[in-house]
Amino acid sequence: ILNVEQSPQSLHVQEGDSTNFTCSFPSSNFYALHWYRWETAKSPEALFVMTLNGDEKKKGRISATLNTKEGYSYLYIKGSQPEDSATYLCASAVNNDMRFGAGTRLTVKP
Amino acid sequence: DSGVTQTPKHLITATGQRVTLRCSPRSGDLSVYWYQQSLDQGLQFLIQYYNGEERAKGNILERFSAQQFPDLHSELNLSSLELGDSALYFCASSGTSGRSYEQYFGPGTRLTVT
């Protein structure tokens, strides 16, 4: 089974920095790509769901892009704030399955 | 608060036992998904129900089963429990059967098997 890979595993940035991370997924039988924000001791919170190649979505300072042909998605955070500190998970919906990456743990230092 | 509720919050039981986890979806949502998060394996999709019917199956063991009732709440039954079943079990709901829509996660049930 091909896995969903996220990089980097963890990231430390200063407040105000912009940052991005990557989700790689199998491009065959692609159905949808989900991004979640997961704070410690809470449950995953949906950020974006993308389905079309070239899709770009934005919510405040967070945006995401999708390339289904090559099997990757980028998540961008502009002007990181300490409250952005969380694990960012991506999941690929393929066939009858949802496959999650291990997440990127972001820490934003004030 | 996502609007999805799960009970109980914590459960401690012994190997070989059987437990039932309960999930109530957001008002109006017809789909319920169950996920398992264990320390060594990350978040794993178990099963999806839509309007009372099984819609998709992931890495669910034969010892586990689920159902969705007419009022749309769902139960995940775990039997012949093993130490390795200790994990955080999430349910999530969405308005449709398709996996191209946002899923709203409940707070999870922490299961500890001793």
Side-chain angles (χ1 to χ4, degrees), chain A residues 6-8 11 13 16-23 33 35-37 47-48 50 54-67 72-81 84 88-90 104 106 108:
Chain A
Q6 289 189 248
S7 62
L11 196 51
V13 301
D17 287 351
S18 293
T19 187
N20 65 86
F21 15 95
T22 306
C23 171
L33 194 283
W35 279 103
Y36 293 92
R37 181 173 179 275
L47 286 173
F48 306 112
M50 295 184 288
D55 237 356
E56 288 189 34
K57 294 216 171 174
K58 189 175 179 183
K59 191 181 281 190
R61 293 178 292 99
I62 305 177
S63 60
T65 60
L66 179 68
N67 183 323
Y72 65 84
S73 175
Y74 294 134
L75 189 81
Y76 301 90
I77 303 179
K78 187 176 176 181
S80 304
Q81 300 296 308
D84 295 329
Y88 291 83
L89 269 186
C90 70
T104 292
L106 174 68
V108 182

Side-chain angles (χ1 to χ4, degrees), chain A residues 1 31-34 36 38 42-49 51 59 89 93-101, chain B residues 2 33 35 37 42-45 48 55-59 88 90 97-108:
Chain A
I1 296 175
Y31 188 76
L33 194 283
H34 294 241
Y36 293 92
W38 195 354
K42 294 189 178 180
S43 48
E45 175 194 343
L47 286 173
F48 306 112
V49 182
T51 57
K59 191 181 281 190
L89 269 186
V94 55
N95 294 330
N96 283 328
D97 202 358
M98 284 279 288
R99 298 178 192 166
F100 286 79
Chain B
S2 67
Y33 302 77
Y35 296 94
Q37 198 232 344
L43 206 51
Q44 300 277 322
F45 166 64
Q48 177 199 359
R55 184 54 62 106
K57 221 169 189 176
N59 295 321
L88 188 52
F90 285 108
S97 63
R99 279 157 292 118
S100 59
Y101 293 88
E102 288 186 350
Q103 296 181 21
Y104 297 87
F105 278 72

